[in-house]
Amino acid sequence: MHQEYKFLKFETWFSIIRSRIQYHKLKNKWWVKERMNICKPCEYNSANVDTLSIKDKIFKLLSLNSPICTACKCTLKYKTVEKYNVCGLEEINLEPKWKEYGN
């Protein structure tokens, strides 16, 4: 069975880079803690998945073994820092468990 490979959107790459730059400045913000509390028990958190796909294992390895969202492949500690990010479930057309803050 052939699985379609989806490239990340430009906005996603931009967000990945920006989140790593801002992580140490923003990691203690209230929205980061709130989002991590939502992500921690999530069934898409790699820490809660019994058997990861090869693709998920690669992304987890690239994140230096930090938990990733298996829906969007983002490292959770960075995904939750960006104020305007949305839960990774949106990437697989499911209702996000948390949304952006601001506008």
Side-chain angles (χ1 to χ4, degrees), residues 21-61:
I21 293 168
Q22 297 182 342
Y23 174 73
H24 292 290
K25 182 173 76 172
L26 300 175
K27 69 181 180 182
N28 292 316
K29 295 292 185 180
W30 64 270
W31 68 82
V32 177
K33 293 176 184 180
E34 182 178 285
R35 289 172 175 182
M36 286 302 288
N37 285 335
I38 294 169
C39 292
K40 194 170 189 169
C42 179
E43 65 272 19
Y44 289 92
N45 179 336
S46 65
N48 302 328
V49 177
D50 290 332
T51 306
L52 294 173
S53 70
I54 291 173
K55 187 176 180 181
D56 291 338
K57 287 178 183 178
I58 291 169
F59 276 93
K60 190 169 183 203
L61 182 64

Side-chain angles (χ1 to χ4, degrees), residues 15 18 25 37 44-45 61-62 64 66 69 72-73 85:
S15 177
R18 189 176 55 229
K25 182 173 76 172
N37 285 335
Y44 289 92
N45 179 336
L61 182 64
L62 291 172
L64 303 176
S66 291
C69 173
C72 69
K73 312 302 183 221
N85 275 347

Side-chain angles (χ1 to χ4, degrees), residues 4-18:
E4 183 179 327
Y5 182 75
K6 183 175 122 181
F7 287 102
L8 296 175
K9 298 178 267 182
F10 174 77
E11 298 84 23
T12 303
W13 284 109
F14 185 70
S15 177
I16 289 169
I17 294 166
R18 189 176 55 229

